[in-house]
Structures are given as structure tokens and as C-alpha cells.
Amino acid sequence: MPRFSIVVPSHGVAGRLSQALDSVLAQSFGDFELIPVCDAPDAPAADVVAGYAERDSRVTPVHSPPSAGLAGARNTGLKAAVGGHVLFLDGDDVLVPGALAALDARLSAVGGVDVLYFEHERTPWWEGEPTNPAAPLLARTPEGAFSPGRAPQLTGVALPAWSALYRRAFLTERGLAFPGDHFTDIGFGGLVALRAERVAALRAVVVRHLLRRQGNRLNLPGQHHAELLEQTELVLTRAAEQDLPADRLKPLFEQLFAAVLKTAAHPRRLTSGRRAFFRRASALYRRHRPAGYRVPGGSVGLQHRLLASGSYAAFRTLRAANRTASRAAALLPRPRGLRTRLRYAAALRLPLDRNLVVYCAYWGRGYACNPAAIHAKARLLAPQLRSVFLVEPEAVGSVPRGVEHAVIGSRKYWQVLARAKYLVNNANFADAVVKRAGSVHLQTQHGTPLKTMGADQATYPVVAAATGSFAKLLARVDRWDYNLTSNRHSTEMWERAFPSAHETLEYGYPRNDVYCTASAEDVARVRKELGVPDGKKALLYAPTHRDYATGFETGLDLAEFCEAIGDDYVVLLRAHYFYDQGASRGGGRIIDVTGHRSSEDVCLAADALITDYSSIMFDYANLDRPIVAYADDWDVYRETRGVYFDLMELPPGRVARTPEELAAVFRDGSYADETATSLRAAFRERFCQFDDGRAAERVVRRVLLGEPPESIPPVIPLAERVPAPAATLVRS
């Protein structure tokens, strides 16, 4: 029997789950079992956990459906546990180094106890100083083991479940489990403290709790706050049944109703049913108020008196008086120009147009990428919706005929942004755009992340300097309702890079649908448009942007490369869109397609791809055509830009480090041999999971038409997809 069983629920934390698991497996004390609780075998977290279970026999995952909530996940983990003591660790928290050794030493020092309480550190995700809220409670506890009556302030309801270690036999013999769903820590902590006979404290930090940017999920608006009253009633009823002494009942009562009053006084937690919540809380207060109880002084005492008397109108007035003008001012829109601000503010007071969809791609560069693909599908499946594409003045000409548009910064631009029910973007809308109640923001992204993105860029000085304010970036992220991903890797990395409360849609990238739906005629048409000569193999060369470079630079001399590989090939040059200088330019062996509006067309035209670290490789892999990674400066790029995985260990095909090596793989044909094909197959298995040709349909049905998740077309397995044919394959 292991000394410790560590239960780690993982719902919604796949992106940071590995940090929690690593913190456990790296402990110097190794006598434990680690029980990650996943939603299902095919859930995002399950992919993360599977690798750990293969490498370490102490990792034994179990499954609990999301509908069971946090309480169900913990109870499932508890049932599977066989260790002497149980520790519950949230999936985005970590054990500090030496934590298990410290717990083991403390248990040995105090002897058998039902509960060992310990300190935890609450670490702000972005800025601010860490706090240790458990320290004041534990500072006044006796030195050794003690009965709960000797530390009445230790009620259990003021500490989270992961701030204590529990003797497993104590929990099972007393039938203790996590009650309900929301606010389960309050109910569990209170019941445990009521039933425990012998406890102890460890005055040292064991768990480092990462505070979410978006705050505790329990603090979000919703009817779930009624469960706080259910947990309060459960604990106080059990206390009454035990005839809890007055010196223990008073702090328990105060700590429970401190949480109740905080919710009752918070205008955003209870968007409806505030009066009913207050009345029920008032009845609970009067029923369980200890005999001779004296209310605290000051404003808190006034709230106690109003709750005891059931004076909701007076309580509401007190709450309103505490609102400050500065908070209201902070919510005002701030577009540039007084006249524009006034017009936008006026439009925000008008009702949402529930049939209006606003699209934008690449900060207004034109009609492109996932937003364009969703727009095209919406015209077929939801013709009743009015769609407006936002573009910069110089990009107006790129908008296809029949597509309504608005120039960014214009009066129409602000009007449609204020009124639209749906807003779709592959980047982000301007800082001044207000997220209205009832509106739906869909972030489609525009690639699979190899390089670090979002908040993960903060530790790379060159990138961070170019990114600007991360606080503003994350404020824009907070507007998202949905975030689209094309593979499980992206799901995990976006959760890390853009932490917020949005829902992830693993539907694939709509712009990649064409890789499964295009015909040989489509490929031939695009090649003709780009100027690819008949009979030539087209190699797409697509290098990415270097944050440490001042302009478009490449370590490859294309003229020399073309000379080295022979006359059978032409090169399609597509530089990063930062260096787009206009329309495509053709001629000779090198055809510049940087300005071509559709990267999908360019990929369809190419018989093979040469890239370095551009995310185009993940999209092109859907075509199942050869890919060569030209990694002449990988070490510099990795250290300067930061990456999520080592591309050299999982390349999409052959890797070349020098111009000579690159030319050689095309001269001898190894760019498309069995080894290259095998590497590409493994790459596709990992990164082409959801791009099956129906992504746009799934997005339109779920987001714009509001169809339930269970009715959305499932993803076609990779082995059953038929990619668009390459031109060279057509001829053969």
C-alpha cells in the first residue's frame, strides 16, 4: 500500500495538467500513486495522461464524466485510491519541491491523525504578490496532534480541499465524500472537520495554487450560487445534529455566512433571483444562529443585521451605495475621436441584431482564412444571416463581388461592431470593442502553434517587446466565447497561451476544408493562375517570420537552389504575410506568390513544401504531399522565439540544415522516399486530427445556427479521408 494517493481532476486544464503531474512525479519522496481523473478516454487531458502512464507505473488514470463535476471527479479518484492518505490536487496547481517528504515527516512526528492541514500559496497568474491565506489559521493551532475543539477557528470551510491531507480509512469509514457539485469544498471541508477526532497542522507551504486570470469559476454569474446555500445548510444541520459546542459553532457560522454575504452583495454573481437568494439565506441565518450570537461591528455587522431581519430592500440599497463611479467609467468604450466614441456608445444602447455576423481576418488584410471559409459556408447553410467583412481601405479590392464589407474605422464599422450578434476573427478585434451581453465571439486562430504564443511569449524578451501589453492582449482574449482548434496539440497549447473562460471547439480549421474537397480541375486552375508551367513540379517555399530579424531574410539563395536541383522544378515563394508587398509576381523559375490572397490555393498548386518553422506545414500536411524542413537556424529560433515541441524530433519529412543538403534531397528523390513518407504519416496522425473537409459546416451549425453539440457531424477518421490530388499525381 503506497503512503499517499494523489487525486488530480483534469477537466478544463489540459494545457497545464502536465505541470501538476510533473510536480508530483519530481518529488524526492516516491512512495505514492498518482490518480489523474479524465473526462473520457478521448478527452484532451487523456492524451496528456496516457504518456505519463506509459512512462511511470505509479500513474493510474480513471475517468469521470464532465456532468459529474469536480465533486464527482474527486469521488471517483477517492474510490480508486489504495494509499494510506489521500491528497487532492487540482489539475492547474503544483506540489512544491519536497512537499511529500515534508508531509511524511510531519505524519511520523504527530502519529496517527484523521486530517493534516497545511499551508498553500495562492500565486496570481500574471501580476501581484503570492499570498498564504492558510497561515493565519494554522498559526494558532497546537504544536502536536490535537482534537478539533482545541482550535475552533479551524472549521474546514475556509480552506480548500487541496490544503489538507486525509487518512483514507477515516474518509471511507465515516462515509465522507464530496457533496453536490458547486462549492463542494465548503461542504466537504465542514463535514470532515465535524467528524474528525484527531488532527494536526503543518506550517509550511505544500501546494502552489495558480489563480486563474478569469477568476474562480464559482464566482461567475449563474444559478449555481444557490448551491452555496445548500452546502451551508448541510454543514450547519450536521453541526446541530452533533450538538456542536458553542465555541466551535460560532466560528463555523461566521465563516459560512461570510461567504453567503459576499455572494449576496456581489451584483454580478447573481444576475437573477437575488431576492430569492437573500430570503433563503435569511431563513438559514435565523434558523442556525447560535444562541447569544453577537454580530461583528462595522459594515459587516450591518449586513448581518439586515440578513437577520430579512430586509432585502435595505440590503440592496447598501450594496448599490458601495459601487464606485470609477468602475462604471472603466466600462465606457474608448475608440479614438469624441464623435466616434459618442456614436459607438449610442449604438451599444440599441438592441443586438441577431441576424448580423461580422467577420475579420488578419487585422483587416482582406477576405481570407477561416473567417472567409465560415462566411462562404454560412451563405449556404444560413442565408438568413447578414454578413459584413471588415477590411482596411487598401484591401477593399480583395473582397469578392457580392460580399458586404465595412472599412475599418468608418462609421459603418463601429455600427456593425456595436450591433452584431456574432463576431468572427482569426486575430483579435480592436481594444475598444465592447463585449456585449448576448453577443458571441468566435476566435478561429490562423495556424497550429509550433512557436510560443500569447502569454507564453512573456519569458522571451525579443518577442515580448514586440507583443506589447500582455494585459491588453488577455483582455481581448476575455471577449472570446469559442476558440477553434484543428488538433489536440492546439487545444492544449491555446489553453496555456490564452487562459480564459471560453469554450474550445475541436472542429478543425474551415480554411483547410478545401484540402479534402478540391478536385484535380481545381488544382490545374490554380496552377495556371499562378503561372506554373505545364510539366513542372512546383515547390512551395514558405519561410516564417524571425522576431530577431529587421526584415524578410532567408538563408537560402533561391536562384542557386533552382540551379542545383535541375529544370524539372519551379519555386513558389510565399514569404510571411508581414512582408506582403502586393500582388503575385510570376516569371522564370521563381514565382513570388506572397501577395496571393489565398494560402490554400498556393498549397493546392504545390507538389511539395519547403518550410522552416512556419505553421503552414501543419495545414499542408492535410494534402499528404512531401514536406521538407529547412532548419538552418533552428537552435537560434528555438532559444529566441520559444517553441512548444522539438521539430527536429518530430519533423514532417526530411530535414536539411544547409542549402547543399536541401538541394540534395530533391536531386536524389529522398524528399519523397519511404523514410520521408513514414515521418509525414506520424506528423499527420498528430496534427491533422480534425481537418476532414467539414469544419466550416460544424462551426456554422454550432455557433451561428445554435445546434446542440450532439447533432454536429463527427470528424471523419484520418484513414478515410481523400486529400486533393497533386498535379504530378494527376498525370500519372
Side-chain angles (χ1 to χ4, degrees), residues 41 106 138 192 251 299 305 346 356 390 398 414 496 548 606 705 730:
R106 185 60 174 160
L138 302 185
V192 164
S299 176
R305 293 185 181 91
L356 177 58
L390 307 180
S398 73
W414 289 109
R496 286 181 46 180
Y548 46 86
L705 295 178
V730 173

Side-chain angles (χ1 to χ4, degrees), residues 511-519 604 622-623 684 690-694 716 718 720-725:
R511 71 179 185 189
N512 291 345
D513 285 353
V514 68
Y515 298 142
C516 291
T517 61
S519 64
L604 285 173
N622 286 287
L623 290 168
R684 280 167 48 80
F690 311 136
D691 289 334
D692 64 349
R694 301 190 69 180
I716 299 171
L718 184 63
E720 298 177 16
R721 302 175 205 165
V722 180

Side-chain angles (χ1 to χ4, degrees), residues 42-101:
D42 60 347
D47 286 352
V48 177
V49 169
Y52 285 90
E54 290 177 2
R55 297 188 297 269
D56 197 314
S57 61
R58 294 174 298 178
V59 181
T60 56
V62 295
H63 300 103
S64 176
S67 58
L70 177 61
R74 286 175 172 168
N75 289 334
T76 298
L78 177 59
K79 290 177 182 177
V82 297
H85 294 79
V86 182
L87 173 68
F88 298 97
L89 183 70
D90 280 359
D92 51 0
D93 295 342
V94 297
L95 289 182
V96 301
L100 296 185

